[in-house]
Amino acid sequence: MRMHGSQLRASGDPYFAHPIEVAGILTEYRMDTAAIVSALLHDVIEDTVATRADIAEKFGEEVAGLVEGVTKLSRLELQSEHARQAENLRKFIMAISRDVRVLVVKLADRLHNMRTLHFIKKPEKRERIARETLDIYAPLARSIGMHRICAELEELSFQYLNPTARDAILRRLEVLRVQQGPAVAVVSGEITSRLEAVGVNARVHGRQKQAYSIWRKLQRKSVAFSQLSDIYAFRVIVPEEDDCYRALGVIHRAWPMVPERFKDYISTPKRNNYRSLHTTIVGPRGMRIELQIRTEAMDRVAEEGVAAHWRYKGKSYGFDAQAAGADGGRDPLINLRHLVQLMEHGGDAEEMVEHAKLEMYLDQVFVFTPKGQLISLPNGAMPLDFAYAVHTDVGDTTVGVKINGELRPLRTVLQNGDVVEVIRGPKPTAPPDWRSLTVTGRARSAIRRHIRLSEREEFVRLGRTAIDQVFARAGRDRAGVSLRPALDRFAFANEEELFAQTGRGEISPVQVLETVFPGLKESERAAAVARVRIEDGHVGRLYIQGGGLTPGVSLHFANCCSPLPGDRIVGILQPHGGGLAVHTIDCPRLAEYEDQDDVWRDLHWTPEAERDTVSRARLSATVRNAPGVLGTVCTLIGEAGGNIANLRMHHRQSDFFDVDFDIDVTGAKHLTHIAAALRACPAVETVERVKG
């Protein structure tokens, strides 16, 4: 209070109210004294005259180290928001790897800031903070198992980033609450009585899925709101681990189970130490019900994560496997150690943020080494992801793979329970096409490290072409113009280095243009930054990179799958000089080339593809036949940033009709966002992307 003095927050409250609230959040998790003291002091180094030495003198080295780790990192004068975010993330994760309490205090700090975000007046600042929270802090909370904080951060961010979709989902949840609310109490009672009848003492309670969780599922699973089976879920809390399996048997005998909806996270815990049984049944009154069955200890770990089993041992603060016992004897920080290894591989800022998100977001599949060691990987992982998860050297020397004893292609998607044996060669090899055969950030960053130097020539060519194109759009000619001002501004030794960094996406061609021609007219600048439409292979070459894209080889987009920026893509070399056909990785036509390894070429989009271009895509929707529905749907597409180029109605019936929308979008991610917005609309039954 003395240090912060008369400082005020945006709400008008005294500033010291904020650290007191942050400390209060940590007391709910029963954190240790040093963590709570650090929460009270976490802003004094940055916002007051106090120094680290002052804190060490008054409160000890342990608290000083924690406060220093939590102190907001100064915003570096780098060239892009991505670079600043990446550098902050890099330093932050390194600090977390030394002491997890740095992260726990920071999460509590961010949670209170999000709870009071509405006091910030500038909408763009609110959106930036919410985006950073959703991209970085919520996934970090999930990765160490702190589900309660993660869920609240996601919900608060969603409120500012997509209020229209959130309001639509909340309205539908309110309708469901009126319709199905009474049934929830009946279901809880029936499950409890069934378990009591066989001597299982259980506590059963229902919960409603949160709006952001529903939104993610609408995006990820391409289903309509009405098809979601787990809007209401029930948690069954029992005393012992054996009771979990007894309860499961009772429930499956009483009500039919929905096939392929059972998961045993007790025998194979998630990487953040989450343990529970999941199943979906067709329960009383025909309701599809998702059940989570767990012990009290498992429930505490699920909600509180690392805070549940972290103790002082000796003179250090860390994971106490002995205290965790049978209900969680695995260090949940293994997730973050993967991120630390990823940081050590280096790479540019955008790559690092992208790979960190990959590590934190994806669901899991469990596979085994030939010796029976369990390896957890993201869903959709392939053999190279497995190889790099075992060890970087194993990944670098991989030449083939056996899955369940049979030789399989490296593009095979691994399934739960597979036994994977890596075939290694004598020396490291990392062909460019390997990047399309991985999904984990760890594998991708290791492969990129190998091929970074070999790609330099391609980046120089891409950068030179991009700069020439922007100059031409602005009515200027690079020939005879000195690029010295740009070399001086960005501290490059020569033009080749400038072209290479532009090709990598570190610098935009528009920045080069504005530096060389500082008196640029607004009309010239507008022409230079206008989005380029990707309609043919000639323009596409500027926004696609890869080992298969060499000068002199023509490129065209396959009509069968209509690739968009952001799609995972591969090239197929056509016979008789037909050039390179670009396909999405899930295109059915690729099955024709399964045994022709020599025609496959790795391709991927440049960072500028989604920022600087626009593409045409098609969505097909089934909507209710009612007045005003088509206008509502078109408005939703416009609010999501899509421009409707054409629409066609067909299969018109008295109750429903189908409509195809041709929409200009910035890429696959933008199209997915639009589709999810439509699925949240009550008048829309189904929405699918049409390829070809």
Side-chain angles (χ1 to χ4, degrees), residues 322-388:
Q322 187 177 357
D327 280 318
R330 231 171 65 165
D331 185 351
L333 267 199
I334 192 72
N335 244 18
L336 294 180
R337 294 199 178 95
H338 288 165
L339 287 178
V340 172
Q341 291 171 345
L342 189 154
M343 302 297 169
E344 291 167 352
H345 286 160
D348 64 36
E350 290 196 359
E351 281 177 28
M352 199 183 68
V353 173
E354 172 203 344
H355 294 159
K357 290 177 189 176
L358 281 173
E359 287 291 323
M360 292 188 286
Y361 263 120
L362 298 178
D363 293 331
Q364 288 175 293
V365 61
F366 297 98
V367 296
F368 297 90
T369 68
K371 293 183 179 180
Q373 179 188 354
L374 179 68
I375 303 288
S376 63
L377 294 167
N379 205 16
M382 290 175 271
L384 282 172
D385 296 306
F386 171 87
Y388 279 104

Side-chain angles (χ1 to χ4, degrees), residues 5 168 384 408 411 418 422 572:
L384 282 172
R408 300 291 297 161
R411 54 181 170 272
D418 281 346
V422 174
I572 298 295

Side-chain angles (χ1 to χ4, degrees), residues 194-195 197-198 200 245-257 279 281-282:
R194 294 267 186 173
L195 294 176
V198 296
V200 176
Y245 292 99
R246 289 181 62 203
L248 179 73
V250 170
I251 289 166
H252 278 185
R253 284 195 296 270
W255 296 288
M257 166 198 168
T279 187
I281 60 171
V282 180

Side-chain angles (χ1 to χ4, degrees), residues 270-498:
K270 292 186 177 183
R271 284 193 295 177
N272 61 14
N273 222 24
Y274 176 88
R275 305 176 82 225
S276 187
L277 297 178
H278 287 200
T279 187
T280 302
I281 60 171
V282 180
R285 304 191 177 188
M287 287 177 62
R288 281 169 64 102
I289 299 167
E290 184 184 83
L291 291 166
Q292 300 169 351
I293 307 170
R294 60 179 72 150
T295 65
E296 292 281 2
M298 292 175 193
D299 191 52
R300 187 175 167 220
V301 171
E303 293 297 317
E304 300 180 10
V306 296
H309 289 309
W310 282 66
R311 307 275 186 274
Y312 276 109
K313 290 198 77 177
K315 294 184 178 179
S316 65
Y317 187 83
F319 182 65
D320 189 344
Q322 187 177 357
D327 280 318
R330 231 171 65 165
D331 185 351
L333 267 199
I334 192 72
N335 244 18
L336 294 180
R337 294 199 178 95
H338 288 165
L339 287 178
V340 172
Q341 291 171 345
L342 189 154
M343 302 297 169
E344 291 167 352
H345 286 160
D348 64 36
E350 290 196 359
E351 281 177 28
M352 199 183 68
V353 173
E354 172 203 344
H355 294 159
K357 290 177 189 176
L358 281 173
E359 287 291 323
M360 292 188 286
Y361 263 120
L362 298 178
D363 293 331
Q364 288 175 293
V365 61
F366 297 98
V367 296
F368 297 90
T369 68
K371 293 183 179 180
Q373 179 188 354
L374 179 68
I375 303 288
S376 63
L377 294 167
N379 205 16
M382 290 175 271
L384 282 172
D385 296 306
F386 171 87
Y388 279 104
V390 173
H391 197 278
T392 303
D393 290 343
V394 175
D396 287 346
T397 55
T398 298
V399 294
V401 66
K402 286 185 179 180
I403 301 176
N404 301 324
E406 294 184 12
L407 282 169
R408 300 291 297 161
L410 288 176
R411 54 181 170 272
T412 305
V413 175
L414 299 177
Q415 305 296 324
N416 270 319
D418 281 346
V419 177
V420 185
E421 179 184 352
V422 174
I423 302 169
R424 300 176 66 182
K427 59 181 181 179
T429 56
D433 61 341
W434 274 14
R435 281 175 299 190
S436 64
L437 304 178
T438 58
V439 298
T440 60
R442 181 177 181 177
R444 288 187 179 181
S445 63
I447 293 167
R448 282 182 188 267
R449 183 192 61 208
H450 267 288
I451 60 180
R452 197 170 284 125
L453 290 177
S454 63
E455 283 188 333
R456 181 175 173 80
E457 186 178 329
E458 179 81 359
F459 282 128
V460 169
R461 186 185 64 79
L462 280 169
R464 183 186 291 112
T465 307
I467 288 173
D468 286 346
Q469 186 185 50
V470 166
F471 274 43
R473 289 209 302 265
R476 305 301 173 102
D477 187 356
R478 187 173 63 83
V481 175
S482 172
L483 296 181
R484 173 51 58 185
L487 299 182
D488 293 340
R489 175 186 172 185
F490 300 113
F492 292 135
N494 51 54
E495 291 186 1
E496 188 172 275
E497 195 173 338
L498 174 68

Side-chain angles (χ1 to χ4, degrees), residues 591-659:
E592 301 173 18
Y593 308 98
E594 184 72 24
D595 301 321
Q596 303 176 43
D597 287 343
D598 56 324
V599 303
W600 291 73
R601 298 291 184 272
D602 170 59
L603 300 176
H604 56 100
W605 300 97
T606 67
E608 298 92 343
E610 287 183 271
R611 291 204 299 266
D612 303 337
T613 68
V614 63
S615 306
R616 183 71 47 81
R618 177 171 293 177
L619 288 178
S620 182
T622 300
V623 299
R624 298 187 186 279
N625 193 354
V629 165
L630 191 58
T632 300
V633 172
C634 292
T635 300
L636 286 172
I637 293 172
E639 288 176 345
N643 179 47
I644 300 173
N646 190 25
L647 63 83
R648 181 175 71 91
M649 290 184 286
H650 52 99
H651 296 109
R652 193 176 185 106
Q653 306 293 328
S654 59
D655 49 357
F656 288 98
F657 64 91
D658 296 337
V659 57

Side-chain angles (χ1 to χ4, degrees), residues 94-271:
M94 292 303 180
I96 295 165
S97 69
R98 291 190 287 271
D99 193 325
V100 72
R101 290 175 295 178
V102 170
L103 175 55
V104 177
V105 176
K106 187 67 176 178
L107 289 174
D109 172 39
R110 180 53 62 115
L111 179 58
H112 184 250
N113 283 334
M114 288 301 298
R115 287 174 177 174
T116 56
L117 191 61
H118 57 280
F119 289 113
I120 292 179
K121 294 178 180 178
K122 292 184 178 179
E124 61 274 14
K125 186 175 180 182
R126 290 199 301 266
E127 186 173 333
R128 178 183 61 75
I129 293 171
R131 173 60 59 196
E132 186 179 63
T133 300
L134 195 60
D135 285 351
I136 303 298
Y137 292 101
L140 279 170
R142 184 186 297 110
S143 73
I144 60 170
M146 301 192 78
H147 173 78
R148 205 184 336 152
I149 285 183
C150 171
E152 188 173 352
L153 288 176
E154 288 178 337
E155 202 63 20
L156 289 168
S157 301
F158 190 37
Q159 175 182 337
Y160 294 101
L161 293 175
N162 203 332
T164 304
R166 181 174 180 268
D167 291 345
I169 291 171
L170 290 177
R171 284 195 298 271
R172 299 200 69 176
L173 287 175
E174 184 59 37
V175 172
L176 271 180
R177 193 178 295 116
V178 172
Q179 294 173 345
Q180 299 185 1
V184 172
V186 173
V187 170
S188 295
E190 290 203 30
I191 294 174
T192 303
S193 61
R194 294 267 186 173
L195 294 176
E196 285 179 349
V198 296
V200 176
N201 183 22
R203 179 164 56 88
V204 181
H205 59 91
R207 62 172 181 83
Q208 180 180 278
K209 209 171 186 69
Q210 290 188 302
Y212 179 72
S213 183
I214 292 173
W215 172 253
R216 277 195 70 199
K217 188 159 280 193
L218 291 174
Q219 287 185 306
R220 191 172 65 247
K221 296 208 169 182
S222 298
V223 295
F225 188 96
S226 58
Q227 295 172 285
L228 294 176
S229 63
D230 57 350
I231 296 221
Y232 285 101
F234 291 83
R235 194 166 291 166
V236 180
I237 310 296
V238 295
E240 303 293 337
E241 186 176 306
D242 287 348
D243 295 328
C244 294
Y245 292 99
R246 289 181 62 203
L248 179 73
V250 170
I251 289 166
H252 278 185
R253 284 195 296 270
W255 296 288
M257 166 198 168
V258 178
E260 300 181 5
R261 293 281 295 170
F262 171 68
K263 293 176 182 175
D264 185 346
Y265 292 121
I266 293 179
S267 64
T268 51
K270 292 186 177 183
R271 284 193 295 177

Side-chain angles (χ1 to χ4, degrees), residues 673-689:
H673 177 82
I674 293 171
L678 294 181
R679 292 188 187 105
C681 175
V684 178
E685 190 65 21
T686 63
V687 182
E688 298 295 337
R689 175 179 170 184

